[in-house]
């Protein structure tokens, strides 16, 4: 079928700036976040581009990679160069909140798009929200609130926290505690190990001695995994207590192993073995990476695909027009259930409460989770933060 001349003119005009759509994966290539993000996030972005056909509006799509080494100044420097010099249209991934917020500042200043998958701070779509920056996979509130609410509902009504002693850990503990008490549970106490504490024994022993039904791990790597390992050595699970990790990824469970991680409760946006759609995509990813994807890596693919479709539908790569188009319709794919990009640019979608299987329950490699409950996006993420200037008052 021949397109009418007007449509041809529209697509072949200057609708794509500099005649290429360039996506920059800004990530941690060698540090502690490189397994759940890193090369896996680059692979996911490239899979989306390849599945899309490698072109949009007749123009090529390219993926470039930067390593921010978990340092905000390096992340901001790469973002600035990419937007200014390399004419990058979209930056994705960006693990750790300090780097994510630094890159968000540059995206605002340059009026270019940024979608984060592995920055968790709720301030990203709260007081720092921006028309140019989207949060696609999770925030700390959703994980803390989702886990705490679902666990209390299932009878886990007394908690003791082991909390990383910095802003990220404190916000996880605060958000979870609020929900626990609101739902009739009790917080019996908390201990606060500094980040990267080599010996966590005394902290785990205090949590064990509290006799709380649930030991809440309000921590990220490396403390969170070391606490779970230490708890397994001290027989915490065998003694009838359960641990709930407010942030844990499937690659963490893989490196811990089921003997140490069994019984752990956690909330996730994505599990590769949830249904046929998740399995089909994840097996293709596995063929390239030789491990299953984290929620962050699966989210990269999902958002890149939605971004490219929005360019196709608006016939331009103009950032705000593309972002508006992305907010127009529901987001329903192998990654997201009941998803939508809200006015504060948070992608709200359903989460799952899962329990890590016992070794004897696992039937094949990466068969790690029992899905205990679905948590609706509205419940987990809550209403938009009135501190976000994009929210219509």
């Amino acid at each position: 079928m021949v397109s009418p001349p007007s449509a041809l003119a529209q697509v072949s005009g200057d609708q794509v700036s500099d005649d290429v759509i360039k996506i920059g994966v800004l990530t941690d290539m060698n540090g502690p976040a490189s397994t759940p993000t890193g090369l896996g996030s680059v692979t996911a972005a490239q899979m989306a581009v390849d599945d899309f056909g490698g072109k949009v509006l007749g123009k090529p799509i390219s993926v470039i990679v930067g390593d921010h080494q978990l340092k905000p100044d390096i992340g901001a420097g790469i973002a600035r160069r990419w937007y200014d010099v390399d004419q990058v249209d979209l930056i994705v991934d960006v693990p750790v909140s300090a780097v994510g917020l630094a890159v968000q500042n540059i995206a605002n200043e340059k009026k270019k798009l940024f979608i984060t998958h592995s920055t968790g701070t709720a301030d990203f779509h709260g007081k720092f929200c921006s028309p140019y920056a989207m949060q696609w996979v999770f925030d700390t509130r959703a994980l803390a609130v989702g886990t705490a609410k679902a666990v209390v509902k299932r009878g886990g009504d007394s908690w003791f926290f082991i909390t990383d002693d910095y802003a990220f850990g404190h916000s996880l503990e605060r958000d979870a505690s609020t929900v626990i008490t609101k739902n009739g549970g009790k917080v019996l106490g908390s201990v606060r190990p500094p980040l990267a504490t080599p010996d966590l024994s005394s902290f785990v022993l205090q949590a064990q001695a509290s006799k709380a039904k649930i030991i809440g791990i309000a921590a990220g790597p490396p403390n969170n995994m070391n606490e779970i390992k230490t708890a397994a050595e001290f027989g915490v699970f065998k003694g009838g207590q359960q641990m709930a990790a407010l942030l844990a990824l499937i690659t963490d469970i893989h490196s811990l192993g089921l003997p140490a991680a069994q019984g752990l409760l956690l909330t996730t946006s994505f599990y590769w073995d949830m249904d046929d759609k998740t399995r089909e995509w994840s097996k293709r990813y596995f063929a390239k990476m030789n491990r299953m994807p984290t929620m962050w890596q699966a989210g990269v693919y999902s958002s890149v695909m939605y971004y490219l479709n929005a360019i196709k539908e608006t016939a331009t790569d103009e950032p705000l027009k593309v972002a508006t188009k992305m907010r127009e319709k529901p987001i329903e794919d192998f990654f997201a259930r009941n998803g939508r990009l809200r006015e504060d640019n948070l992608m709200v979608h359903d989460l799952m409460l899962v329990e890590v299987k016992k070794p004897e329950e696992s039937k094949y490699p990466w068969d790690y989770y029992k899905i205990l409950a679905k948590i609706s996006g509205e419940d987990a993420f809550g209403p938009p933060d009135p501190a976000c200037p994009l929210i219509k008052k």
Side-chain angles (χ1 to χ4, degrees):
M1 183 184 127
V2 179
S3 300
S6 61
L8 283 174
Q10 186 186 16
V11 171
S12 59
D14 291 329
Q15 301 299 315
V16 170
S17 53
D18 75 330
D19 285 345
V20 63
I21 294 294
K22 204 176 271 189
I23 298 167
V25 184
L26 184 52
T27 189
D28 173 27
M29 290 303 284
N30 302 295
S34 59
T35 303
T37 64
L39 184 58
S41 293
V42 179
T43 299
Q46 191 61 56
M47 282 172 72
V49 169
D50 294 345
D51 288 351
F52 195 82
K55 284 185 168 182
V56 61
L57 305 181
K59 308 296 183 188
I61 308 160
S62 75
V63 174
I64 64 171
V65 183
D67 182 1
H68 63 51
Q69 301 165 44
L70 303 183
K71 293 178 176 147
D73 56 334
I74 294 178
I78 294 171
R80 190 178 294 280
R81 188 182 76 242
W82 276 1
Y83 287 142
D84 276 349
V85 180
D86 299 329
Q87 295 188 290
V88 165
D89 298 286
L90 169 69
I91 291 177
V92 298
D93 200 17
V94 194
V96 307
S97 295
V99 189
L101 292 171
V103 172
Q104 185 185 34
N105 279 337
I106 307 296
N108 290 345
E109 185 191 316
K110 302 298 174 188
K111 299 185 165 40
K112 292 284 194 87
L113 291 183
F114 166 35
I115 305 177
T116 188
H117 306 82
S118 40
T119 283
T121 176
D123 285 343
F124 193 91
H125 61 86
K127 63 183 177 189
F128 299 132
C129 78
S130 141
Y132 297 97
M134 305 170 195
Q135 201 163 17
W136 201 263
V137 175
F138 83 118
D139 70 5
T140 48
R141 183 195 182 278
L143 294 192
V145 169
T147 307
K149 194 170 179 182
V151 170
V152 171
K153 224 188 255 177
R154 299 176 64 84
D157 56 7
S158 61
W159 288 62
F160 187 95
F161 284 97
I162 307 178
T163 301
D164 270 1
D165 197 9
Y166 66 114
F168 172 74
H170 297 177
S171 70
L172 283 174
E173 182 189 332
R174 183 190 63 235
D175 289 346
S177 299
T178 304
V179 170
I180 291 160
T181 50
K182 200 164 114 188
N183 285 275
K186 284 201 275 299
V187 177
L188 305 181
S190 69
V191 283
R192 297 194 163 177
L195 183 61
T197 303
D199 182 8
L200 290 153
S201 310
S202 67
F203 300 101
V204 172
L205 284 169
Q206 285 177 75
Q208 192 173 20
S210 75
K211 299 281 193 284
K213 290 182 190 172
I214 306 292
I215 298 170
I217 308 286
N223 280 10
N224 56 352
M225 293 304 110
N226 291 335
E227 284 152 12
I228 293 159
K229 206 183 286 177
T230 307
E233 287 161 11
F234 290 169
V236 165
F237 295 113
K238 288 195 176 79
Q241 286 172 299
Q242 265 192 304
M243 296 189 101
L246 301 184
L247 174 62
L249 297 146
I250 195 159
T251 45
D252 299 327
I253 306 306
H254 185 72
S255 62
L256 270 175
L258 293 183
Q262 60 183 311
L264 181 72
L265 300 168
L266 61 106
T267 296
T268 183
S269 288
F270 175 81
Y271 177 43
W272 76 270
D273 205 12
M274 186 180 91
D275 62 22
D276 288 344
K277 278 203 294 193
T278 58
R279 280 188 283 275
E280 187 272 329
W281 185 84
S282 300
K283 283 173 178 168
R284 286 172 49 217
Y285 174 95
F286 186 91
K288 296 174 188 296
M289 289 297 299
N290 205 30
R291 59 173 176 253
M292 285 303 176
T294 62
M295 60 178 177
W296 295 340
Q297 291 157 339
V300 167
Y301 178 101
S302 167
S303 65
V304 168
M305 199 53 111
Y306 267 82
Y307 168 73
L308 294 173
N309 270 311
I311 291 176
K312 183 179 162 186
E313 287 172 24
T314 45
T316 177
D317 65 348
E318 199 282 307
L320 292 182
K321 285 182 181 161
V322 172
T324 301
K325 179 56 76 175
M326 289 174 77
R327 284 192 294 273
E328 270 175 18
K329 52 186 184 189
I331 296 168
E332 196 73 40
D333 58 7
F334 80 95
F335 169 76
R337 299 293 178 279
N338 301 310
R340 66 187 175 92
L341 190 59
R342 225 164 48 179
E343 58 189 328
D344 54 357
N345 274 339
L346 173 69
M347 205 273 272
V348 173
H349 52 282
D350 296 346
L351 305 177
M352 290 165 274
L353 179 73
V354 301
E355 182 179 341
V356 177
K357 290 183 171 183
K358 298 185 175 87
E360 62 273 19
E361 293 172 324
S362 176
K363 303 286 184 279
Y364 37 85
W366 295 86
D367 174 22
Y368 293 160
Y369 292 166
K370 280 189 286 205
I371 298 172
L372 300 180
K374 189 184 90 173
I375 304 164
S376 82
E378 304 305 320
D379 269 358
F381 291 97
D385 182 343
C388 166
L390 303 175
I391 301 302
K392 292 180 184 68
K393 301 290 188 281

